[in-house]
């Protein structure tokens, strides 16, 4: 039981409570650097040196105190094979230091130079259809080619020898947005070796993959195709795991080059992409020091809950504070129509990141390159060197980071509820969606939304993370499950936890084969219920029961009760005949805990009601009750401090009563407040008046 739940008799108390220590959350800290950093991606190699001071002065004036440099600058760092030139980077970093700006150094391996790929064409990646990449874009390298790995190691090592003790370098970014696997000869050979190591014999692989199906039976590992589409789902799942492991090795290759030459205070990370599912982030992050991500909004308009989910996802990669390594200064260049964020939303997004545990927000990019693929992208200053309109909003944000930084230093978010993100399961569903709209991320978000609104703090975690600290754990789609995982989930419930399972849970074993005993496999007798049949839906099916009425769409499972202790919470109404009057949601109390199985993709209102009941039963309280929809409440605590961040994502002004007199750390009023009036996109950062 968490300390906070015993003490939280009132909201007043809850606001002051610092979190239980075993949730792992912790902040990044640099004794000599500001606790909250504001930054931008800066490419000094694209500009005459005579202009650098002008740029850095404008950065300093905007309270920018970190730049990321170097991540695509290989041809400037090593202009020809074995000839390194770090002089320009030395001077750029020294000049940044003069302007009180520290540096994250990127290893340039996402953009190998032309001399390298021309002399060693095997370093170029091969796509799934056998086509080798050409020079002229980026990410054109093979992540398995030994020659490429040697070059990547060498450039990382030389850079670390040069900058590993530079006091102004705070950390390292490996490569840039890992994404594209290779399907060439080295990848093929390594995949086969990896399978052999895992399965031992090809006979065992044939058994697990059920290759008698369509005469897929293999006689040797080297007959196995290397594909990410259209193959046996067991192969597809193993390919994704292999790719994850390969990116981990790819990281380790560079870490082993950097770490021996770098001060321990310099962190090593890479920049990730939210829900991107090309590999398992938990596998890759097992060898990184902190998590970082590139926060670009997912649709044409900013949806704060969607963005909140991706912050929480990233925080969960290491279960500690993270960096926003890139975000948009109002707009990007790669959507169909690159509409801007509205005035005020850039600052709103920056504070949202801090509320969710970011210790740094960096914009991509500082200044438009004079040419190149991204001329239209949002920036802080134009190619002409003059600030663009959003510069002022970012300057204001920087000023506020400086003001609130000391109160936020050493704090992080803490949550009583967790949502499990599982790559194996997301992949397994994606390979065989069965219902076109069954997007595993959409299902995660459907569960996340009411949790975020009602509990106001959610951890998103791996299935392998400890569960004990949470009052509620939700698994929207744990499609792939092993016996060991099932055992952990049952132990969690027996210890008083409340477990909520979504549709398609526990349909597959860890080889992506159907559970031999049916669904939900090893959880069936514990739940006291099973899935008799699943149906893809293309229209609404009515639901009725203890939660009231609602609908299911996209997916519906016909459930049956196997134990007298298991209760039916909702039933389907009249629909395709099969589902009529059949159970759709089951629940079973186990001591003080409970297990609930939701067999359908529920309408938002019904999922909302279900969430309310579950949180109530588990004793989960909001941080600040009674706030209007669109007002986001976050709290960071630690080191005896507690800071409340309120953001009004609505366009209209909202009045928010405070439970105690509080000081707005970024506002102009010096006196304690008992309420705040937040204009559209307004932000308040509050600490209890001492
Ligand atoms: C990605 C990359 C950056 C830049 C931005 C543009 O995040 O990491 O180099 O291309 O997109 O939005």
């Amino acid at each position: 039981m968490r300390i906070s739940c015993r003490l939280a008799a009132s909201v007043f108390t809850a606001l002051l409570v610092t979190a239980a220590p075993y949730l792992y959350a912790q902040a990044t800290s640099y004794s000599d650097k500001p606790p909250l950093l504001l930054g931008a991606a800066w490419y000094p190699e694209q500009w005459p040196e005579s202009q650098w001071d002008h740029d850095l002065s404008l950065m300093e004036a905007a309270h920018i105190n970190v730049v990321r440099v170097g991540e695509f600058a290989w041809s400037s760092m090593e202009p020809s094979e074995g000839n390194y030139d770090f002089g320009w980077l030395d001077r750029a970093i020294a000049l940044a230091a003069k302007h009180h700006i520290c540096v994250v150094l990127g290893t340039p391996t996402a953009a190998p130079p032309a001399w390298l790929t021309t002399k060693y064409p095997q370093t170029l990646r091969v796509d799934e259809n056998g086509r080798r990449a050409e020079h002229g874009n980026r990410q054109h390298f093979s992540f398995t080619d030994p020659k490429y790995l040697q070059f990547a190691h060498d450039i990382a090592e030389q850079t670390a020898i040069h900058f590993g003790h530079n006091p102004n370098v705070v950390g390292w970014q490996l490569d840039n947005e890992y994404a594209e696997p290779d399907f060439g000869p080295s990848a093929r050979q390594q995949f086969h070796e990896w399978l052999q190591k895992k399965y031992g014999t090809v006979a065992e692989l044939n058994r697990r993959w059920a290759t008698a199906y369509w005469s897929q039976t293999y006689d040797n590992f080297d007959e196995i195709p290397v594909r990410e589409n259209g193959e046996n789902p067991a192969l597809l799942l193993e390919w994704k795991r292999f790719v994850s492991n390969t990116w981990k090795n790819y990281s380790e290759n560079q870490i082993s080059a950097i770490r021996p030459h770098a001060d321990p205070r310099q962190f090593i990370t890479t920049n990730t992409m939210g829900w991107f599912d090309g590999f398992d982030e938990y596998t890759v992050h097992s060898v990184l020091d902190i998590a970082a991500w590139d926060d670009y909004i997912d649709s044409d308009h900013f949806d704060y809950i969607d963005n909140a989910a991706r912050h929480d996802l990233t925080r969960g990669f290491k279960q500690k504070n993270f960096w926003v390594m890139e975000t948009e200064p109002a707009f990007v260049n790669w959507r169909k129509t690159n509409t801007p964020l509205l005035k005020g939303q850039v600052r709103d997004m920056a504070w949202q990141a801090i509320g969710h545990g970011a210790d740094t927000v960096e914009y991509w990019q500082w200044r438009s390159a004079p040419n190149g693929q991204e001329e239209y992208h949002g920036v802080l200053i134009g190619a002409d060197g003059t600030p663009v309109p959003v510069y002022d909003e970012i300057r204001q944000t920087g000023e506020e980071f400086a003001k609130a930084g000391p109160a936020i230093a050493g704090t992080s978010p803490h949550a009583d509820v967790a949502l499990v993100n599982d790559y194996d399961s997301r992949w397994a569903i994606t390979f065989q969606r069965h219902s076109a709209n069954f997007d595993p991320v959409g299902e995660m978000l459907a569960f996340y939304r009411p949790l975020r609104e009602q509990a106001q703090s959610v951890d998103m975690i791996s299935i392998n993370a400890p569960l004990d600290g949470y009052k509620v754990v939700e698994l929207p789609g744990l499609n792939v499950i092993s016996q060991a995982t099932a055992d952990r989930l049952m132990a969690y419930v027996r210890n008083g936890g409340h477990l909520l399972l979504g549709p398609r849970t526990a349909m597959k074993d860890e080889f992506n084969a159907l559970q031999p005993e049916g669904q939900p496999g090893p959880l069936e007798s514990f739940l006291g219920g099973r899935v008799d049949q699943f149906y893809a839906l293309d229209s609404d099916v009515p639901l009725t029961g203890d939660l009231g009425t609602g609908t299911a769409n996209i997916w519906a499972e016909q459930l049956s009760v196997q134990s007298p202790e298991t209760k039916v919470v909702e039933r389907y109404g009249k629909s395709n005949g099969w589902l009529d009057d059949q159970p759709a949601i089951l629940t079973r109390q186990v001591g003080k805990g409970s297990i609930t199985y939701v067999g359908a993709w529920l309408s938002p209102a019904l999922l909302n009601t279900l969430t309310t009941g579950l949180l109530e039963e588990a004793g989960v309280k909001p941080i600040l009750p009674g706030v209007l929809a669109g007002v986001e409440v976050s709290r960071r605590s630690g080191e005896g401090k507690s800071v409340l961040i309120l953001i009004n994502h609505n366009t209209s002004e909202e009045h928010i009563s405070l439970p105690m007199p509080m000081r707005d750390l970024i506002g102009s009023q010096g006196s304690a407040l008992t309420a705040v009036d937040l204009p559209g996109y307004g932000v308040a950062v509050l600490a209890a008046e001492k």
Side-chain angles (χ1 to χ4, degrees):
M1 180 66 64
R2 299 260 316 271
I3 298 171
S4 56
C5 65
R6 272 192 258 126
L7 295 181
S10 68
V11 176
F12 184 93
T13 321
L15 278 165
L16 293 175
V17 165
T18 52
Y22 51 79
L23 287 182
Y24 301 107
Q26 71 186 60
T28 39
S29 63
Y30 321 92
S31 49
D32 58 339
K33 303 281 179 273
L36 289 185
L37 296 173
L38 184 81
W42 180 44
Y43 299 98
E45 72 276 17
Q46 296 172 1
W47 297 98
E49 209 166 317
S50 56
Q51 297 203 19
W52 292 355
D53 196 57
H54 164 85
D55 284 52
L56 291 163
S57 303
L58 279 172
M59 284 187 210
E60 193 177 2
H63 304 272
I64 284 181
N65 39 31
V66 61
V67 284
R68 187 196 60 191
V69 299
E71 81 278 9
F72 299 118
W74 199 335
S75 62
S76 305
M77 292 176 176
E78 190 182 357
S80 60
E81 186 171 351
N83 296 315
Y84 299 97
D85 177 6
F86 294 118
W88 64 274
L89 199 47
D90 274 329
R91 295 191 296 281
I93 292 174
L95 199 58
K98 267 196 191 159
H99 289 275
H100 311 289
I101 295 170
C102 63
V103 168
V104 171
L105 208 49
T107 65
T109 49
W115 59 256
L116 194 163
T117 53
T118 306
K119 186 164 172 197
Y120 306 102
Q122 74 270 30
T123 62
L124 289 165
R125 65 180 288 272
V126 174
D127 71 16
E128 197 181 1
N129 300 317
R131 263 204 337 247
R132 222 176 247 289
E134 289 182 354
H135 204 81
N137 206 309
R138 56 181 171 178
Q139 299 184 324
H140 45 292
F141 62 90
S142 156
F143 72 162
T144 47
D145 176 59
K147 194 79 195 164
Y148 192 70
L149 292 175
Q150 187 60 52
F151 271 108
H153 183 275
D154 291 351
I155 187 70
E157 186 172 52
Q158 290 301 320
T159 316
I161 290 170
H162 211 88
F163 297 104
H165 303 298
N166 186 312
N168 204 40
V169 174
V170 292
W172 296 81
Q173 175 188 298
L174 305 180
D175 206 275
N176 190 78
E177 294 188 343
Y178 297 168
E180 301 293 345
D182 180 32
F183 296 84
S186 55
R188 189 181 178 90
Q189 186 196 334
Q190 289 172 33
F191 182 46
H192 293 156
E193 287 165 4
W194 187 82
L195 289 172
Q196 181 146 24
K197 195 161 165 222
K198 174 158 183 179
Y199 289 89
T201 63
V202 78
E204 176 61 5
L205 180 144
N206 283 323
R207 183 175 82 80
R208 291 294 193 178
W209 293 15
T211 52
Y213 177 81
W214 288 358
S215 270
Q216 286 167 9
T217 314
Y218 298 106
D219 299 311
N220 294 297
F221 283 97
D222 57 14
E223 292 169 358
I224 297 169
V226 177
R227 304 284 298 176
E228 62 179 0
N229 284 296
E231 286 290 333
N232 182 320
L235 182 152
L236 296 178
L237 185 58
E238 294 296 18
W239 169 253
K240 287 285 198 188
R241 289 171 174 155
F242 165 76
V243 168
S244 306
N245 200 58
T246 305
W247 282 121
K248 179 178 156 209
N249 295 342
Y250 183 82
S251 309
E252 281 180 314
N253 177 51
Q254 295 195 29
I255 293 168
S256 70
I258 295 170
R259 208 21 104 203
H261 306 289
D263 289 342
R265 67 180 169 81
Q266 293 182 339
F267 64 77
I268 302 179
T269 186
T270 190
N271 52 339
T272 59
M273 295 184 281
W275 291 113
F276 176 73
D277 75 347
F279 53 87
D280 185 321
E281 296 283 7
Y282 304 109
T283 303
V284 171
H285 279 83
S286 65
V287 297
L288 300 174
D289 298 322
I290 62 168
W293 79 292
D294 297 345
D295 182 5
Y296 296 101
I297 63 172
D298 251 358
S299 55
D300 289 344
H301 299 286
F302 178 58
D303 171 346
Y304 86 91
I305 293 195
D306 171 282
N307 209 52
R310 292 181 298 147
H311 282 307
D312 292 345
L313 171 75
T314 309
R315 194 177 69 249
F317 293 159
K318 293 298 289 183
Q319 292 193 289
K320 60 184 185 186
N321 286 6
F322 59 96
W323 279 38
V324 171
M325 197 60 94
E326 299 180 11
T327 190
E328 50 189 275
F331 56 90
V332 297
N333 69 320
W334 40 261
R335 283 197 201 98
K336 252 185 165 167
T337 302
N338 296 293
T339 50
L341 289 164
L342 305 181
K343 200 166 181 194
Q345 278 185 320
V346 170
R347 169 172 171 261
D348 164 324
M349 272 182 78
W351 274 110
Q352 185 190 36
I354 304 300
H356 284 262
D359 286 335
T360 299
V361 175
E362 288 182 86
Y363 292 92
W364 199 94
Q365 63 173 329
W366 168 248
R367 181 174 183 171
S368 305
N371 208 329
Q373 277 93 325
E374 298 174 297
E375 290 173 47
Y376 280 85
H377 201 282
V379 288
L380 277 79
I381 68 168
D384 63 356
T386 58
V388 299
V390 76
Y391 174 93
D392 280 339
E393 189 170 320
I394 294 173
R395 185 177 45 72
Q396 181 192 344
T397 310
E399 204 173 309
E400 293 168 350
F401 276 19
K403 278 192 196 165
I408 293 178
T411 64
S412 49
H414 301 277
D416 284 331
V417 300
L419 197 71
V420 170
N421 167 53
D422 182 55
Y423 289 93
D424 279 1
S425 298
R426 280 171 52 193
W427 294 326
I429 292 174
T430 305
F431 300 148
Q432 297 173 306
R433 274 201 187 187
H434 195 69
S435 183
N437 290 329
F438 201 113
D439 167 20
V441 172
E443 184 67 328
M444 288 286 289
L445 280 172
F447 277 71
Y448 177 85
R449 212 167 268 281
L451 269 188
R452 173 69 215 168
E453 280 174 340
Q454 296 182 38
Q456 296 173 341
S457 190
V458 182
D459 279 352
M460 209 175 290
I461 57 171
S462 148
I463 187 62
N464 298 315
L467 305 177
D468 322 351
Y470 298 108
K471 295 177 183 172
V472 172
V473 173
E474 298 195 357
L475 300 99
L478 193 73
N479 191 242
V480 173
I481 196 171
S482 64
Q483 184 63 51
T485 296
D487 291 344
R488 286 180 55 234
L489 295 177
M490 293 186 282
Y492 167 74
V493 174
R494 285 194 193 100
N495 288 335
H498 295 272
L499 192 69
L500 181 66
L501 308 168
R504 299 175 87 146
T505 296
M507 185 184 187
K508 305 290 195 78
D509 71 8
E510 63 268 48
F511 300 94
N512 211 359
L514 293 167
Q515 293 282 359
E517 68 273 58
Q519 192 188 349
L523 293 173
E524 180 182 320
S525 61
F526 189 70
L527 171 69
R530 58 177 277 127
V531 178
D532 289 336
Q533 186 55 272
F534 55 82
Y535 304 98
L537 303 179
D538 60 2
S539 58
D540 284 355
V541 169
L543 283 163
T544 164
D546 296 350
L547 302 175
T549 56
T551 54
N553 207 326
I554 302 175
W555 193 266
E557 288 165 352
Q558 181 180 343
L559 308 181
S560 64
V561 174
Q562 309 288 316
S563 157
E565 288 171 28
T566 302
K567 309 253 168 311
V568 177
V569 181
E570 290 278 315
R571 286 182 186 276
Y572 300 102
K574 194 143 188 56
S575 64
N576 60 9
W578 307 110
L579 286 167
D580 299 7
D581 205 34
Q582 297 302 308
I585 303 178
L586 302 179
T587 193
R588 183 181 198 173
Q589 286 294 130
V590 182
K592 288 192 170 145
S594 66
I595 177 169
T596 304
Y597 188 98
V598 177
W601 188 303
L602 301 181
S603 51
L606 204 58
L607 194 48
N608 202 47
T609 311
L610 176 67
T611 307
T612 309
L614 195 65
L615 295 182
E616 235 173 69
E617 195 186 335
V620 177
K621 303 255 186 303
I623 296 169
L624 192 61
V627 293
L628 290 165
V631 174
E632 188 176 15
V633 180
S634 302
R635 179 179 55 204
R636 287 178 59 150
S637 56
E639 297 185 356
K641 298 180 240 179
S642 181
V643 172
L644 207 56
I645 298 174
L646 304 182
I647 305 175
N648 178 12
H649 298 290
N650 301 322
T651 48
S652 54
E653 179 169 300
E654 305 291 358
H655 179 82
I656 303 148
S657 304
L658 301 174
M660 65 180 93
M662 300 188 93
R663 244 172 339 112
D664 188 351
L665 303 171
I666 61 170
S668 49
Q669 280 153 294
S671 55
L673 307 168
T674 51
V676 285
D677 290 306
L678 286 184
Y681 308 128
V683 180
V685 181
L686 301 150
E689 184 74 349
K690 295 221 171 90

